[in-house]
Amino acid sequence: MENYLDINRKLWNAKVDSHLKSDFYFVDEFIKGRTSLNSIELELLKEIKGKEILHLQCHFGQDSISLSRMGAKVTGVDLSDKAIEAAKDLAQKCGTDTQFIISDVYGLPHVLDQKFDIVYTTYGTIGWLPDLEKWAKVVSHFLKPGGKLIFVEFHPIVWIFDNDFTFVKYNYFNEEVIVETNEGTYADRTANLADQEVSWNHPTSDVLTSLLQENLQLQSFREYNWSPYPCFQHIEETEKGKFQISKFGNKIPLVFSLVAEKK
């Protein structure tokens, strides 16, 4: 899929207006000061005032702006030009100096010349990338010595099922490209959207191995049997801000997190 970037850029450009209006992204409350960061990533980030942070695949920048509000110097990156336009507008409304760049992950070293204390990327990111070894090289490239990757992602076990969670539809391993057209969006299932998308599944072993090969030392790895987002079918809130798939309860992981330091 040599043109996967064009296909996915169109996909994410189409999502922006719907996402800005959705309750999922609570934009009005966000402008008034509500953070978009969840307990998982806040626990990993700790004190970040004055830190230089690169936020990969930032969508329209809510987490980037939330990190800025915590005192960090943040650069957000996304391949969607429409998302970055919205991110710049949102930062202006929020009164932060967050910087935003249009770029895909692999092409970023050609347009950004800077090193960072933290590379941050969360929730629904690596599935849009075909090659995790290239991803890890980019992460390492932008980290200062002693800098850290803070990464939170949906667990790959979730992506083996069909959307209704009734059977195993996809390979857990990255054996093939997944090309689909899905209606609506996770933030608004009724949205009038039906664009083609291109994605890949990545097992946990590929995530860890790719980072270790780039001399990134794993400092923590955790799995969670809940998601902070109600973005799947058959999802129910079991505790405030914690969601599980009702068919599985607490039996499978929905999210994992890791911190890796560049040595």
Side-chain angles (χ1 to χ4, degrees), residues 55 79 83 136 150 158 171 212 226:
H55 180 191
L79 89 166
I150 293 180
V158 176
N171 197 325
L212 293 171
W226 54 274

Side-chain angles (χ1 to χ4, degrees), residues 34 38-40 222 224-230 235-246 249-250 254:
R34 178 178 169 182
N38 302 298
S39 60
I40 295 174
R222 291 188 61 188
Y224 307 80
N225 62 10
W226 54 274
S227 164
Y229 298 110
I235 201 86
E236 61 180 5
E237 192 170 20
T238 55
E239 297 180 39
K240 184 173 178 57
K242 295 184 177 182
F243 298 88
Q244 293 179 336
I245 297 166
S246 58
N250 63 0
L254 298 186

Side-chain angles (χ1 to χ4, degrees), residues 172-212:
Y172 177 79
F173 299 97
N174 186 8
E175 298 291 340
E176 60 184 0
V177 60
I178 301 169
V179 183
E180 297 179 311
T181 299
N182 293 310
E183 295 185 357
T185 172
Y186 59 86
D188 181 2
R189 300 192 189 282
T190 65
N192 185 25
L193 297 171
D195 290 288
Q196 191 179 54
E197 60 186 57
V198 184
S199 63
W200 293 263
N201 283 348
H202 299 290
T204 308
S205 56
D206 283 2
V207 175
L208 298 179
T209 301
S210 67
L211 296 173
L212 293 171

Side-chain angles (χ1 to χ4, degrees), residues 11-246:
L11 171 77
W12 284 97
N13 276 346
K15 290 179 186 289
V16 172
D17 286 342
S18 176
H19 286 188
L20 286 168
K21 298 172 186 175
S22 70
D23 292 338
F24 189 96
Y25 283 104
F26 54 88
V27 170
D28 289 341
E29 292 179 57
F30 182 79
I31 292 172
K32 294 175 183 177
R34 178 178 169 182
T35 185
S36 63
L37 301 172
N38 302 298
S39 60
I40 295 174
E41 48 265 35
L42 285 170
E43 184 179 338
L44 300 177
L45 286 162
K46 297 183 174 63
E47 176 57 55
I48 60 170
K49 187 173 182 179
K51 300 278 189 179
E52 294 180 302
I53 299 180
L54 176 64
H55 180 191
L56 298 178
Q57 295 168 275
C58 69
H59 197 25
F60 59 85
Q62 281 186 307
D63 275 16
S64 305
I65 293 167
S66 292
L67 295 167
S68 291
R69 284 169 165 169
M70 293 173 67
K73 301 174 183 178
V74 185
T75 301
V77 180
D78 201 272
L79 89 166
S80 165
D81 51 293
K82 192 165 184 178
I84 292 299
E85 179 184 351
K88 291 178 179 178
D89 179 66
L90 188 60
Q92 185 176 24
K93 290 177 179 176
C94 293
T96 67
D97 62 353
T98 319
Q99 302 298 304
F100 291 102
I101 296 173
I102 301 168
S103 178
D104 69 281
V105 172
Y106 299 147
L108 188 59
H110 302 295
V111 297
L112 178 63
D113 183 19
Q114 189 177 343
K115 301 295 182 181
F116 295 85
D117 301 298
I118 295 171
V119 172
Y120 171 91
T121 183
T122 59
Y123 303 105
T125 56
I126 59 172
W128 305 105
L129 305 175
D131 186 339
L132 287 193
E133 290 186 1
K134 288 178 66 176
W135 168 75
K137 287 182 185 297
V138 172
V139 170
S140 179
H141 172 82
F142 283 108
L143 281 175
K144 300 174 182 178
K148 294 180 180 181
L149 167 68
I150 293 180
F151 181 40
V152 188
E153 180 60 282
F154 294 114
H155 201 285
I157 200 71
V158 176
W159 304 125
I160 70 173
F161 296 99
D162 68 304
N163 287 338
D164 203 41
F165 294 100
T166 55
F167 65 96
V168 174
K169 181 178 180 180
Y170 305 98
N171 197 325
Y172 177 79
F173 299 97
N174 186 8
E175 298 291 340
E176 60 184 0
V177 60
I178 301 169
V179 183
E180 297 179 311
T181 299
N182 293 310
E183 295 185 357
T185 172
Y186 59 86
D188 181 2
R189 300 192 189 282
T190 65
N192 185 25
L193 297 171
D195 290 288
Q196 191 179 54
E197 60 186 57
V198 184
S199 63
W200 293 263
N201 283 348
H202 299 290
T204 308
S205 56
D206 283 2
V207 175
L208 298 179
T209 301
S210 67
L211 296 173
L212 293 171
Q213 286 177 341
E214 291 302 315
N215 202 26
L216 291 165
Q217 181 175 314
L218 192 66
Q219 293 193 323
S220 72
F221 177 85
R222 291 188 61 188
E223 296 170 298
Y224 307 80
N225 62 10
W226 54 274
S227 164
Y229 298 110
C231 53
F232 303 110
Q233 298 280 15
H234 306 293
I235 201 86
E236 61 180 5
E237 192 170 20
T238 55
E239 297 180 39
K240 184 173 178 57
K242 295 184 177 182
F243 298 88
Q244 293 179 336
I245 297 166
S246 58

